[in-house]
Amino acid sequence: GPLWTIPWNLTQTNYCEWEGIICAGEDENNITSSHSSTYHDPYAVVAIDLSFNNIEGILPSSLCLLDSLELLDLSFNNISGTLPSCFGDSLLNLTNLRLYSTSITGSLPPSWSKLKNLKFIDLAYNFLSGPFDFELLVCNWTNLQRLYLGVNDISGTVHDCVCTLAELQFFSIMDS
């Protein structure tokens, strides 16, 4: 958009060359990526980092079409609305989700329990509310290393399974 801090040249038809977008065939420096061997399509979007970019609006469900997506960082933008439930059905390769300090509301959809490759999730400083089902969600994220849920209005009991997550290094629910 016109207010973005990282403007896109939309006349460029190859979206893999847009700022903040990384495709399977290249990394940030346009060098052949390690993702190339994982995905058959070199134009498969594997990372979107549009943090600190003055983006406004909701998380579009069309993000769910990016089934190769591993990293999504929209932190420090004015993203409103709820978290799309289709993430749990479609973004099964997602390892890193950063929506820190956006303006997301609602709760985490139960379908997100299918995101078993998640290693890092940061949903702190939002307007998430209601019961948080640690057993259903966090206990299924067996690769989880870092979880940030602080400064939201979620409720619920931290399930014992959190202590059994072998990869977990950091867990924050302060002021939630």
Side-chain angles (χ1 to χ4, degrees):
L3 299 177
W4 292 11
T5 57
I6 303 173
W8 280 353
N9 178 0
L10 296 179
T11 61
Q12 215 172 25
T13 56
N14 182 358
Y15 54 85
C16 294
E17 294 178 12
W18 293 352
E19 190 73 35
I21 305 294
I22 299 174
C23 292
E26 59 189 42
D27 68 9
E28 298 162 273
N29 301 311
N30 290 332
I31 300 170
T32 301
S33 169
S34 61
H35 302 291
S36 310
S37 59
T38 308
Y39 302 106
H40 299 293
D41 180 3
Y43 296 104
V45 175
V46 294
I48 297 175
D49 183 351
L50 297 173
S51 57
F52 297 94
N53 219 355
N54 297 321
I55 296 172
E56 294 184 7
I58 62 168
L59 284 172
S61 59
S62 57
L63 283 171
C64 297
L65 299 174
L66 303 174
D67 58 0
S68 299
L69 195 64
E70 296 175 10
L71 177 139
L72 177 61
D73 189 346
L74 299 173
S75 299
F76 295 100
N77 283 296
N78 191 21
I79 308 292
S80 58
T82 59
L83 298 165
S85 61
C86 64
F87 277 25
D89 296 318
S90 304
L91 302 182
L92 302 179
N93 292 304
L94 195 65
T95 61
N96 196 317
L97 178 63
R98 298 173 188 227
L99 298 173
Y100 179 91
S101 191
T102 54
S103 287
I104 299 290
T105 60
S107 59
L108 270 75
S111 64
W112 281 34
S113 64
K114 300 174 192 170
L115 298 174
K116 298 184 186 297
N117 288 316
L118 272 178
K119 293 181 180 178
F120 186 106
I121 184 166
D122 190 346
L123 298 172
Y125 288 89
N126 279 294
F127 299 101
L128 296 174
S129 60
F132 186 88
D133 192 337
F134 283 92
E135 183 176 12
L136 174 66
L137 293 165
V138 179
C139 297
N140 282 307
W141 298 337
T142 55
N143 293 308
L144 193 64
Q145 297 173 0
R146 296 184 170 273
L147 175 65
Y148 299 88
L149 294 173
V151 193
N152 279 292
D153 192 25
I154 58 174
S155 59
T157 304
V158 177
H159 194 271
D160 292 343
C161 71
V162 171
C163 297
T164 65
L165 296 173
E167 302 295 320
L168 191 62
Q169 300 166 7
F170 192 86
F171 177 83
S172 172
I173 55 172
M174 90 177 165
D175 295 332
S176 282

